[in-house]
Amino acid sequence: MLLHIPGLFSREEVLRIREALEQTEWADGKITAGHQSAKAKHNLQLPEGHPLAKEIGTAMLERLWAHPQFMSAALPHKVFPPLINCYRAGGSFDFHIDNAIRQPRGSHERVRTDLSSTLFFSDPEDYDGGELEIQDTYGVRQVKLAAGDMVLYPGTSLHKVNAVTRGARYAAFFWTQSLVREDSQRTLLFEMDGAIQQLTADMPDHPALIQLTGSYHNLLRRWAEV
């Protein structure tokens, strides 16, 4: 499942964030890459624990934890603290699959990367190239969203960031360990939850709502890992 979540940050917020990012110092993006990924990764990144990355990441997660669509689709259990990157002057990241397990710096807790997320801080017209390409069951899909928008997709997906040939592409990215490990099961629950919400809005007294809601929770009880 690939999900577009629009408007997580407002236009004014994005402008303030981007101004701060343009004025900060960056490190080589290979600092958080695995052995194989490091060979394909050519970008800049704020180090883990960087004050600006922590500030932006905290604001992101506060909004996502209150966002019904994200909560329904991701069913989050644990999240790796968001990281911030920048692609410019030919920067790219060739096809790869993210490491299955991530451990935040300075923490003993490990996060299984069931879901990957990218939140854009640059508008498509601000840079050429830089598309996020994701291979899924429907083929290769290119993602280049408005600043403030986020995409959520399975961590098992083969994906890459095309070379940026003009301007700069600023973004945040992170991983989520879901209560439900299997993507097909999460997709079924997400679609079922959406149908229940629609039926609740259209026919709030329909007797099938009780049965459907019960079936949703029984499936979640069967598949969830806590």
Side-chain angles (χ1 to χ4, degrees):
M1 175 176 57
L2 189 152
L3 180 67
H4 173 199
I5 298 179
L8 200 62
F9 285 93
S10 70
R11 171 62 50 182
E12 294 74 18
E13 290 170 325
V14 165
L15 292 175
R16 289 198 299 270
I17 290 170
R18 196 158 64 229
E19 182 179 2
L21 293 175
E22 289 170 351
Q23 295 174 359
T24 196
E25 293 188 9
W26 295 82
D28 192 314
K30 290 181 172 61
I31 56 176
T32 57
H35 176 70
Q36 290 297 323
S37 294
K39 301 176 183 178
K41 189 175 186 181
H42 306 283
N43 67 357
L44 301 172
Q45 191 169 301
L46 296 186
E48 286 187 58
H50 190 287
L52 182 56
K54 291 175 67 174
E55 181 181 353
I56 295 171
T58 297
M60 284 177 58
L61 295 182
E62 285 178 352
R63 292 164 194 226
L64 287 170
W65 246 245
H67 197 290
Q69 195 176 29
F70 173 79
M71 296 300 290
S72 177
L75 295 168
H77 178 45
K78 293 188 286 188
V79 169
F80 188 95
L83 299 169
I84 313 295
N85 63 17
C86 173
Y87 291 83
R88 60 190 178 203
S92 64
F93 197 166
D94 207 353
F95 274 121
H96 63 284
I97 292 177
D98 294 329
N99 289 353
I101 305 294
R102 292 276 180 173
Q103 185 170 346
R105 187 180 299 276
S107 171
H108 296 295
E109 187 172 54
R110 296 180 178 180
V111 178
R112 190 181 64 236
T113 58
D114 297 324
L115 293 153
S116 299
S117 298
T118 297
L119 190 149
F120 293 79
F121 291 125
S122 298
D123 283 307
E125 60 269 22
D126 293 337
Y127 59 100
D128 292 335
E131 300 86 359
L132 172 63
E133 287 198 5
I134 304 168
Q135 287 192 4
D136 65 9
T137 53
Y138 301 101
V140 177
R141 304 177 69 177
Q142 288 196 347
V143 181
K144 192 172 182 179
L145 302 179
D149 288 13
M150 192 184 92
V151 62
L152 178 76
Y153 60 97
T156 54
S157 302
L158 191 66
H159 61 284
K160 72 173 182 175
V161 176
N162 289 331
V164 171
T165 57
R166 178 190 64 87
R169 176 194 187 271
Y170 296 101
F173 63 102
F174 67 96
W175 299 276
T176 301
Q177 178 173 326
S178 178
L179 291 168
V180 177
R181 181 194 303 247
E182 173 57 45
D183 181 59
S184 63
Q185 294 173 344
R186 285 195 309 273
T187 300
L188 178 61
L189 289 168
F190 178 61
E191 292 173 349
M192 193 172 183
D193 186 40
I196 291 170
Q197 298 304 320
Q198 187 64 54
L199 185 58
T200 300
D202 295 344
M203 305 180 68
D205 298 320
H206 197 290
L209 273 171
I210 296 175
Q211 182 178 1
L212 284 172
T213 303
S215 295
Y216 172 89
H217 284 284
N218 284 334
L219 287 173
L220 181 58
R221 183 177 294 110
R222 175 185 291 269
W223 292 334
E225 304 171 14
V226 295

